[in-house]
Amino acid sequence: MVQHNNFQDFKDRSGLWVKSFEYRNNSGDKEVYRTRAYLLWMSILSRTRGKNSRKASYVNTVNSFESFQEFAEWCQDQYGYLNKDEKGRHWQLDKDLLYFGNNAYSPTTCVFIPVRLNSFIPASPGGRIGQFLQGVSWHIHRKKFRAASSENSKILNLGLYDSEIEAHRAWQKHKIQKLEEFMADSTLEPRVINAIFTLKCMFQ
């Protein structure tokens, strides 16, 4: 079986948005096509009802869309829904940026944003995440505090410091600088820019 994802959304003869469909190719092999809206819908369900819902980052996360049909219809009118970045990746569905700390997927709280922005948004603008202040860890060999930022599934080293607060400030400074760069991105819609500005102010 061959599986194809992110197939263009379309409605069936009854006027309902299609989740997926099967097709037999010339070789007789079954190919399964899943629409983009359905892939996102499955991701929401996984985070609110499935195994992923038990992860710390998704505990108490809820799905406030009434049905897949409502969600698919909503997607069609959203800015950035079909946008792709320079690597050909679709923009991602985000529930946290417009309302920081929000735990609900809903028509009023969700927005589509570039992968690089979605992966950059921190869990919180400050405070402790584990033993140290956010963005800080202990470099056991150098006997110093290390500042680092997680971006695009990679760890960006921001230097070593004598105190935990110095390392945390370096992390904050880096976040502010990057947020300012995002604010200058003309491909983002105004409400996303406003949300980034609010987040930036939380770091200062």
Side-chain angles (χ1 to χ4, degrees), residues 8-9 29 35 87 100 112 119 121 132 138 166-167 183 187:
Q8 181 178 351
D9 298 331
D29 297 325
T35 62
K87 296 182 179 180
F100 200 73
F112 288 95
S119 65
I121 300 173
F132 301 109
W138 177 248
E166 284 180 305
M183 288 173 61
T187 66

Side-chain angles (χ1 to χ4, degrees), residues 134-145:
Q134 194 167 5
V136 180
S137 61
W138 177 248
H139 197 299
I140 190 170
H141 299 298
R142 299 289 295 276
K143 306 299 182 184
K144 287 181 178 289
F145 292 95

Side-chain angles (χ1 to χ4, degrees), residues 21-34:
F21 64 96
E22 296 181 1
Y23 170 79
R24 291 284 179 180
N25 58 30
N26 294 332
S27 301
D29 297 325
K30 183 171 69 174
E31 297 189 8
V32 177
Y33 292 79
R34 298 193 296 186

Side-chain angles (χ1 to χ4, degrees), residues 46-48 50-61:
S46 174
R47 295 176 179 186
T48 56
K51 293 181 179 180
N52 286 333
S53 65
R54 294 191 288 271
K55 293 183 179 180
S57 56
Y58 299 126
V59 170
N60 297 324
T61 299

